[in-house]
Amino acid sequence: MQSTYYIGIDIGGTKILAAAATADGRIIARSKRKTYPPDAPDIDDPQALARRIAQTALDAMKKANLTKRDIKAVGIGAPGPTDVRTGYVFNAVNLPGWQNGFALGAALTELLKLPVFVDNDVNVGLLGEATYGAARSLDDVVGLFVGTGLGGALVLNGRLRRGFRWGSGEVGHTYLYWPGKKPKDIERIASRGAISKKLAKAVRKGKSPILAEILAQRRDQRITSGVIRKALAAGDPVTQKAVAQAQETLAVLIASITNLLDPQAFVMGGGLVESLGEPFLAPIRQRARELFFVRQRVDEVQILPAALGDDSGVLGGVALAAEQSN
Amino acid sequence: MQSTYYIGIDIGGTKILAAAATADGRIIARSKRKTYPPDAPDIDDPQALARRIAQTALDAMKKANLTKRDIKAVGIGAPGPTDVRTGYVFNAVNLPGWQNGFALGAALTELLKLPVFVDNDVNVGLLGEATYGAARSLDDVVGLFVGTGLGGALVLNGRLRRGFRWGSGEVGHTYLYWPGKKPKDIERIASRGAISKKLAKAVRKGKSPILAEILAQRRDQRITSGVIRKALAAGDPVTQKAVAQAQETLAVLIASITNLLDPQAFVMGGGLVESLGEPFLAPIRQRARELFFVRQRVDEVQILPAALGDDSGVLGGVALAAEQSN
């Protein structure tokens, strides 16, 4: 009988997610484990992490009552630029053992004895949205993911664009620039991380009593997307200003990308977009369209919220496995 | 016998160029005529311009001792966004009769009784460079043409990217932006036109005696690329500063596009690049590479001068005709 299932894996800095699913994106079972168990003695051992990933994949397979014969391929999103042909991850800055590169594809193929395909996690997330999510009927999509940083990925003419050096989609590192100024990564303004940093400083300086009160109700002092949402709802002017600046910057970025590539759609996701929702996106959409150079069919360029949430990584892995093994 | 020749046409604001050539880009004969003859009574008549274009094409054919039976197709670059399927030019801001759109493909097909293909002139110029010029062995090229404005075009995976609304490559309208500032078209700094404007102002204010002296030797007062070259050679600090600012801006643009698309090469052309040559390109190349986010294989991303000069338009037309008719 033909193998008609895939395993998708999402490797984050705190947890590993895996799912067994069909080619049309129906998830049969999920599994989950910590990327680094508490006080892990093996945090610098790249193979130890590979073994945990393999185990998570096998857990999902077993929970779905499947055997290796049922699995056609495994697809993984890794947090760093990746050579898709070989599954080599050049540098995963958040994963201690892999910071100087790791042959993840080879290691997992050996551990799982299954075909394994690896790509950058943002590419994989957008592939999930383009195959099963917000952009499933579209051929041409730019993904923008607003979280700790600003991640990006491109599907052009129905194919992920990976780049000459496996480095495309690093949209957080496109530049803010003004003559006479030093160019600055756009994610230093347009990300949840940048907003949090600015707000933490305002709290320290006593400039945002509203935010200080919200934070006082939390054990940690982390300015999460949820905290930002609460501060906006409470009318905090410091938060409003930082968010508005991120929105304007994202609108200019979308317009610049549109003038360069003229894509059919943008899909916006990440923690901040998921938390703030349509009130965050609507002004970006309107402002970006004002800035499009080609004035024909301005309203047809879609600016959509991501639809898969936390499943975008594992479903993207399934899409990657299906794409590369067919 | 098979038709194995093509006609390429380049429509500029001052002249129409045509060439009859083989599919491998060997030009057999050329022809030329003014876009608008002096005191043309028909400057607002869109059909009159179409007739002059058709006549220029027939002139090239006759000079090459060819008949219509020898011509497989005609390819044209039009100065405006164009629907390649229909040959409709949406707006050609420099051509009075075509500013609100013109069905150029249909008009020329009717006049020439030959298959006619139309695309935006910057797309066509890059197609020429990608087929016969600086990028002929490359699959993945961004074209940047520094002249009155800043034109751009993209060949990705061996195909011109035309965009969802036929509007890709409008790189002169990507934005300079800095939080708190109003976004500004990048060509307002990084173009020959912007430099000339800045220098004309300096001359009027008496701030550049060197440039004033160079201009005194010209009948017109136009600050052409040649004038800029002379002022640099004479060590004019005002010109040096304006050119350096354009170079820095172009380097940041190239780095941003690289971080977004990770292409194999950039081809730089246009009047200013042709006039200033390698001393203009070398600092851009070096600075851009400093700003690439992915640090692997930085030197492999090529930043090349265009190779076809004034022939890029007609040869691009030939390449377009060959591409679309095969």
Side-chain angles (χ1 to χ4, degrees):
Chain A
M1 207 191 109
Q2 216 194 332
S3 301
T4 47
Y5 297 89
Y6 298 88
I7 294 176
I9 306 175
D10 182 6
I11 313 169
T14 55
K15 57 185 189 287
I16 302 161
L17 301 175
T22 58
D24 59 355
R26 189 167 50 88
I27 293 177
I28 313 295
R30 303 161 192 274
S31 60
K32 186 169 155 175
R33 89 176 350 90
K34 287 202 162 68
T35 308
Y36 299 106
D39 310 310
D42 57 6
I43 190 162
D44 291 323
D45 176 0
Q47 289 291 342
L49 178 53
R51 283 191 297 270
R52 278 195 293 279
I53 293 166
Q55 197 52 56
T56 313
L58 294 174
D59 291 350
M61 187 182 82
K62 278 172 203 155
K63 281 169 81 177
N65 282 319
L66 298 170
T67 69
K68 284 191 188 176
R69 284 169 172 263
D70 302 310
I71 307 296
K72 187 160 177 197
V74 178
I76 308 179
T82 300
D83 181 335
V84 177
R85 289 168 312 179
T86 62
Y88 189 84
V89 182
F90 292 109
N91 56 320
V93 290
N94 295 326
L95 303 178
W98 297 7
Q99 284 174 348
N100 298 314
F102 181 61
L104 177 60
L108 285 180
T109 302
E110 176 62 27
L111 288 164
L112 291 171
K113 314 281 183 203
L114 283 169
V116 173
F117 301 98
V118 190
D119 199 346
N120 169 273
D121 57 358
V122 187
N123 281 354
V124 169
L126 181 62
L127 194 59
E129 292 289 344
T131 312
Y132 309 118
R136 69 188 170 282
S137 59
L138 305 176
D139 256 4
D140 228 50
V141 193
V142 177
L144 298 176
F145 300 92
V146 191
T148 310
L150 176 64
L154 307 158
V155 168
L156 302 179
N157 297 320
R159 300 284 294 178
L160 258 182
R161 176 162 178 92
R162 293 180 165 106
F164 177 59
R165 299 171 302 139
W166 308 102
S168 86
E170 291 290 353
V171 75
H173 303 282
T174 57
Y175 288 104
L176 292 171
Y177 178 64
W178 198 258
K181 307 260 188 196
K182 235 181 101 185
K184 180 151 101 170
D185 281 352
I186 201 165
E187 71 179 9
R188 288 181 56 193
I189 300 290
S191 65
R192 200 271 310 145
I195 294 171
S196 296
K197 210 170 150 184
K198 202 176 291 179
L199 297 183
K201 199 173 157 187
V203 169
R204 279 199 308 275
K205 291 190 169 179
K207 291 187 176 168
S208 173
I210 295 174
L211 198 54
E213 202 185 307
I214 293 167
L215 284 175
Q217 293 159 23
R218 290 178 66 92
R219 259 168 302 173
D220 62 17
Q221 290 290 301
R222 287 176 56 219
I223 300 177
T224 61
S225 294
V227 169
I228 293 169
R229 188 184 62 236
K230 280 183 196 161
L232 285 177
D236 177 50
V238 179
T239 307
Q240 283 170 344
K241 195 181 159 194
V243 170
Q245 201 168 70
Q247 287 171 307
E248 170 76 3
T249 303
L250 287 165
V252 172
L253 175 67
I254 288 171
S256 282
I257 293 175
T258 299
N259 294 347
L260 180 67
L261 292 175
D262 193 19
Q264 188 175 9
F266 290 81
V267 168
M268 299 190 69
L272 190 69
V273 177
E274 281 177 30
S275 177
L276 303 185
E278 190 57 24
F280 182 73
L281 289 186
I284 294 174
R285 195 179 285 125
Q286 187 186 339
R287 177 66 174 137
R289 287 175 175 166
E290 286 171 15
L291 295 168
F292 290 174
F293 174 69
V294 170
R295 299 308 303 166
Q296 285 100 9
R297 300 162 55 202
V298 158
D299 292 342
E300 290 180 35
V301 179
Q302 300 177 58
I303 301 175
L304 305 165
L308 300 178
D310 284 347
D311 282 340
S312 69
V314 291
L315 282 177
V318 169
L320 176 71
E323 176 199 87
Q324 297 284 316
S325 65
N326 280 323
Chain B
M1 208 190 107
Q2 216 194 331
S3 301
T4 49
Y5 297 89
Y6 298 88
I7 294 176
I9 306 175
D10 182 6
I11 313 170
T14 56
K15 57 185 189 288
I16 302 161
L17 300 173
T22 59
D24 59 355
R26 189 168 51 88
I27 292 178
I28 313 294
R30 301 161 193 276
S31 61
K32 186 170 157 175
R33 122 188 300 105
K34 287 203 163 66
T35 308
Y36 299 106
D39 309 312
D42 57 6
I43 191 161
D44 291 323
D45 177 359
Q47 288 291 342
L49 177 55
R51 283 191 298 269
R52 278 195 292 280
I53 293 166
Q55 196 53 56
T56 312
L58 294 174
D59 292 349
M61 186 183 82
K62 278 173 200 154
K63 281 169 80 176
N65 282 319
L66 298 170
T67 68
K68 284 190 187 175
R69 285 169 171 262
D70 302 311
I71 307 297
K72 188 161 177 196
V74 178
I76 309 181
T82 299
D83 181 335
V84 176
R85 288 168 312 179
T86 62
Y88 188 84
V89 182
F90 291 110
N91 55 322
V93 289
N94 295 325
L95 302 177
W98 297 6
Q99 284 173 350
N100 297 315
F102 181 61
L104 177 60
L108 284 180
T109 302
E110 175 63 27
L111 288 165
L112 290 171
K113 315 280 183 206
L114 283 169
V116 173
F117 301 98
V118 190
D119 198 347
N120 169 271
D121 56 357
V122 187
N123 280 355
V124 169
L126 181 64
L127 194 60
E129 292 290 344
T131 311
Y132 309 118
R136 69 187 171 284
S137 58
L138 306 175
D139 257 3
D140 227 50
V141 193
V142 178
L144 298 175
F145 299 92
V146 191
T148 310
L150 176 63
L154 307 158
V155 168
L156 303 179
N157 297 321
R159 300 284 296 180
L160 259 182
R161 177 162 177 91
R162 293 180 165 106
F164 178 59
R165 299 171 301 140
W166 309 102
S168 87
E170 291 289 353
V171 74
H173 303 282
T174 57
Y175 289 104
L176 293 170
Y177 178 64
W178 199 258
K181 307 260 189 197
K182 235 182 102 184
K184 179 152 103 170
D185 281 353
I186 201 166
E187 70 179 10
R188 287 181 57 193
I189 301 289
S191 66
R192 201 271 310 144
I195 294 171
S196 297
K197 210 171 151 185
K198 203 176 289 178
L199 297 183
K201 199 172 159 189
V203 169
R204 279 199 309 274
K205 291 190 169 181
K207 289 186 177 168
S208 174
I210 295 174
L211 198 55
E213 203 185 306
I214 293 167
L215 284 176
Q217 292 160 24
R218 288 178 65 94
R219 258 170 301 175
D220 62 18
Q221 291 291 301
R222 286 176 56 220
I223 300 178
T224 61
S225 294
V227 168
I228 292 169
R229 188 183 61 236
K230 280 181 195 162
L232 285 177
D236 177 49
V238 179
T239 306
Q240 283 169 345
K241 194 181 160 194
V243 169
Q245 201 167 71
Q247 286 171 307
E248 171 76 4
T249 304
L250 286 165
V252 172
L253 174 67
I254 288 171
S256 282
I257 293 175
T258 300
N259 294 347
L260 180 68
L261 292 175
D262 193 19
Q264 189 176 9
F266 290 81
V267 168
M268 298 190 69
L272 190 69
V273 177
E274 281 178 29
S275 177
L276 303 184
E278 190 56 24
F280 182 74
L281 289 187
I284 293 174
R285 196 179 284 124
Q286 189 187 338
R287 178 65 173 138
R289 286 174 177 168
E290 286 171 15
L291 295 169
F292 290 174
F293 174 69
V294 171
R295 299 309 302 166
Q296 284 100 10
R297 300 163 55 205
V298 158
D299 293 341
E300 289 180 36
V301 180
Q302 300 177 58
I303 300 175
L304 305 165
L308 300 178
D310 285 346
D311 282 341
S312 69
V314 291
L315 282 176
V318 169
L320 176 71
E323 176 200 85
Q324 295 285 317
S325 64
N326 280 322

